[in-house]
Amino acid sequence: MKRIAVLQAGGPTPVLNASLASFVEKARSSGHLLFIQGGYQGLADGHFIEASDTFLAWICNNAHVPGACLGAGRFQLKEKTFNLCIQQLQQHRIDTLVGIGGNGTMAALHKLSEHARQMEMDLQIVGIPKTVDNDISCTDHAPGFGSAARYVATSTRDMSRDLLAMKGFEKVRVLETMGRHTGWLAAASGLLREYDEEGPHFIGIPEEVIDPEHLTETVGDALAKFGSALIVVSEGVLWERERPVARAQVNGRHILGGVSQQIAHYLEKQLGVDGIRSELFGMNQRSFSMAVSDIDRAEARAVGETAARLMNDGETDFMVSIRRQDSYTYSTTMEAVPIQEVFVQGEQTMPKQWIHHPENYHHWLRPLVGEGMPSYPRPL
Amino acid sequence: MKRIAVLQAGGPTPVLNASLASFVEKARSSGHLLFIQGGYQGLADGHFIEASDTFLAWICNNAHVPGACLGAGRFQLKEKTFNLCIQQLQQHRIDTLVGIGGNGTMAALHKLSEHARQMEMDLQIVGIPKTVDNDISCTDHAPGFGSAARYVATSTRDMSRDLLAMKGFEKVRVLETMGRHTGWLAAASGLLREYDEEGPHFIGIPEEVIDPEHLTETVGDALAKFGSALIVVSEGVLWERERPVARAQVNGRHILGGVSQQIAHYLEKQLGVDGIRSELFGMNQRSFSMAVSDIDRAEARAVGETAARLMNDGETDFMVSIRRQDSYTYSTTMEAVPIQEVFVQGEQTMPKQWIHHPENYHHWLRPLVGEGMPSYPRPL
């Protein structure tokens, strides 16, 4: 019987466990399932869990739970670690390695596949995409992003109403989304904006360097016209010394966060406005159960199921990709794309024409965030 | 025809406009409605809006919208300003003043009533409670709190699952709720906790000084047992020099925020753990539409309607209060309490027995946050 090892890696999303659960439901009759705890580090260290019926049932019962049943994390795989991973896979007589993750995971899967080939090991490789940043290439979008975008878009509109109410007291706010190298989430903050009075009045994304003068002018204009201004930026936006702002360093990786505070301080000085609040959208972007988009959850399940089906068909070295058939009625199909291609293409940034024509981006985005956000009347 | 002036004051809640809209619907046939823009400052400055049919319809259409249609804010009323307010009320021939707000608003209404009496002005005074902090006395709770508690409780449980998934990489988080002088919101963070592995493992509230050694020990224990620890504190918690941490000062009032960061730095040193993340629950506590509790919205409407009914009955110098009839089936009635009593009692802090027996607090809290939070399985 085929021995299938499954891992999750990268940061969690609110629908990551839905992909795992639906893969497991579909694949449990296809072979003997093993689970690797703690991503690639867990693989290198040999943290394998043999799947009992109780464990399989536990995975399936977690389909609606945020986080990652198998543990997530951000380990950079080094050359010598790849060999350790292959040794572990050989020792546990693994035929198929399934990885649920983002860009880093797809790159690691691709390299593991190459190492296995060099070591003449027959290893089937299956990639299941997940991200809140939407920076995976070779797919229309990836599960996790729709829910994160729903959270950011709704929060921004609601906080904008709060700010308009408080403008006699607090005039400018700078909000910060996730997004290390791409602006998909920050740009989603404008999705529900219906009136000029509502924010965001300025969106800063990593794809384009912020011009401080243009920012000051835009915020000053909004202040003059509406009495308040709301700014949204990605954590990875380039500011001042044109490097992203890091607030900590863990395992050699810079944890971003804090650029919103720098921008708030800058605007206080430039505009002579006191007490500008900066705020991170924070962990809820990747975990808040109440903002999960129905379509995002359904697609998270569908990529898991499709991965199991294609695996059973004997496909290898692929990632499941979501292909949009029709953007007016929003229909999609799931297909395999070469994982090498995902690796080669690297991070998917926002297309220029969507940055400069947000209405086109919003048209593309709207079906992903789901329903249930009623219109608000124009503010006073 | 009676002339009725309405204002909102203090910080917004996601259901503040629901109270305003339901008051307006019920009171529009009782007299001529005027609206004061910008709270007490707006009253002193004479920012009255004559209610056209369009304006009344706009108010009613905002019942589901966060923020505050009439503007919110945090102005401290001084003695000389009271006289200005009374002059404005006289000039606009106001018979009834209706204020929707928190403790500060009820105190101001009470003092305005006294000033009016001294100046031999016949002024009916109506108070409608709202707060996310739940610090208004003479009522079981106030509208706005249930939704904020729902947001905090759900976010904490979801972020806890995220942290458990990330524990190979990130081990401790410190989250910060609103709550200047009271811990109701921070204590709500434990409502959905079902298993020891889940956070919060420590809750800090303004009612009790945090003992740093006890905190370190508790967090250390959780780390040893579960590999991660989640801490929740109120923004107004007393720490180190036993003063709340302020991050800015606006209009002479300290804006709290930042104690979570100080605690994170302290724990990094004490426990030798790198990169402890601190995060504010932020503006969403008082504005996020997706976390509104059905019962909270219904009660926000009910206090508005009750205010209009009691006003029509000729009651004065009262605040609408929610009285809990039965905590097992959760039934409530609405009644008038003397606004002087609300003023005299001041801020309502958490009872000692609920601080030390959270299960009793949770029993009281559960009906207020509403339904729709399914159980999660025990973490691995």
Side-chain angles (χ1 to χ4, degrees), chain B residues 51-186:
Chain B
S52 63
D53 283 349
T54 317
F55 191 83
L56 292 176
W58 177 78
I59 294 274
C60 296
N61 288 338
N62 270 281
H64 67 299
V65 179
C69 282
L70 306 177
R74 305 189 182 286
F75 299 99
Q76 308 277 7
L77 274 189
K78 298 192 183 104
E79 281 305 309
K80 62 177 179 188
T81 323
F82 282 112
N83 291 333
L84 274 178
C85 290
I86 297 291
Q87 281 165 27
Q88 289 290 352
L89 291 167
Q90 284 176 325
Q91 214 169 312
H92 289 84
R93 306 185 317 282
I94 301 302
D95 302 293
T96 304
L97 176 62
V98 182
I100 314 178
N103 271 319
T105 303
M106 298 310 146
L109 284 175
H110 170 63
K111 286 181 188 163
L112 278 171
S113 180
E114 286 190 328
H115 275 76
R117 205 167 297 126
Q118 279 162 23
M119 292 166 82
E120 296 187 349
M121 180 195 179
D122 202 14
L123 182 65
Q124 187 185 26
I125 291 281
V126 177
I128 301 176
K130 72 88 212 161
T131 172
V132 292
D133 290 344
N134 200 41
D135 57 355
I136 305 179
S137 55
C138 307
T139 181
D140 180 75
H141 59 280
F145 171 64
S147 297
R150 181 180 174 89
Y151 182 75
V152 167
T154 305
S155 298
T156 303
R157 182 167 69 151
D158 290 342
M159 288 189 200
S160 183
R161 293 293 168 141
D162 181 276
L163 179 60
L164 283 165
M166 293 294 278
K167 67 186 176 188
F169 180 73
E170 196 186 325
K171 298 195 186 308
V172 183
R173 277 186 203 155
V174 188
L175 306 175
E176 183 172 331
T177 68
M178 291 179 174
R180 215 177 162 77
H181 298 126
T182 64
W184 299 94
L185 259 187

Side-chain angles (χ1 to χ4, degrees), chain A residues 329-343:
Chain A
T329 54
Y330 192 68
S331 64
T332 57
T333 51
M334 303 280 157
E335 61 183 29
V337 292
I339 209 158
Q340 182 174 21
E341 193 57 28
V342 180
F343 167 70

Side-chain angles (χ1 to χ4, degrees), chain A residues 12 37 58 61 64 66 68 72 151 155 158 162 165 173 247 277 279 283-284 286-287 289 375-378 380, chain B residues 12 37 58 64 66 68 72 151 155 158 161-162 165 173 247 277 279 283-284 286-287 289 375 377-378 380:
Chain A
Q37 187 70 24
W58 178 76
N61 288 338
H64 67 298
Y151 182 75
S155 298
D158 290 342
D162 181 275
R173 276 186 204 156
R247 62 175 170 71
R277 193 192 290 261
E279 190 171 298
M283 290 300 103
N284 267 345
R286 68 179 200 204
S287 62
S289 54
S375 182
Y376 290 173
R378 179 179 284 276
L380 193 61
Chain B
Q37 187 71 24
W58 177 78
H64 67 299
Y151 182 75
S155 298
D158 290 342
R161 293 293 168 141
D162 181 276
R173 277 186 203 155
R247 60 174 173 69
R277 193 193 290 263
E279 190 171 298
M283 289 299 103
N284 267 345
R286 68 180 201 206
S287 61
S289 54
S375 183
R378 179 180 283 277
L380 192 61

Side-chain angles (χ1 to χ4, degrees), chain A residues 275-293:
Chain A
I276 296 186
R277 193 192 290 261
S278 64
E279 190 171 298
L280 274 59
F281 282 104
M283 290 300 103
N284 267 345
Q285 291 168 95
R286 68 179 200 204
S287 62
F288 196 50
S289 54
M290 283 184 173
V292 168
S293 143

Side-chain angles (χ1 to χ4, degrees), chain A residues 181-184 187 203 205-210 238 347-362:
Chain A
H181 299 124
T182 64
W184 299 94
I203 297 176
I205 60 173
E207 285 87 342
E208 308 215 313
V209 175
I210 294 182
L238 303 171
E347 268 167 342
Q348 174 175 269
T349 53
M350 281 191 77
K352 286 268 175 219
Q353 90 259 28
W354 283 359
I355 297 173
H356 299 292
H357 297 282
E359 65 282 9
N360 295 343
Y361 173 54
H362 293 165

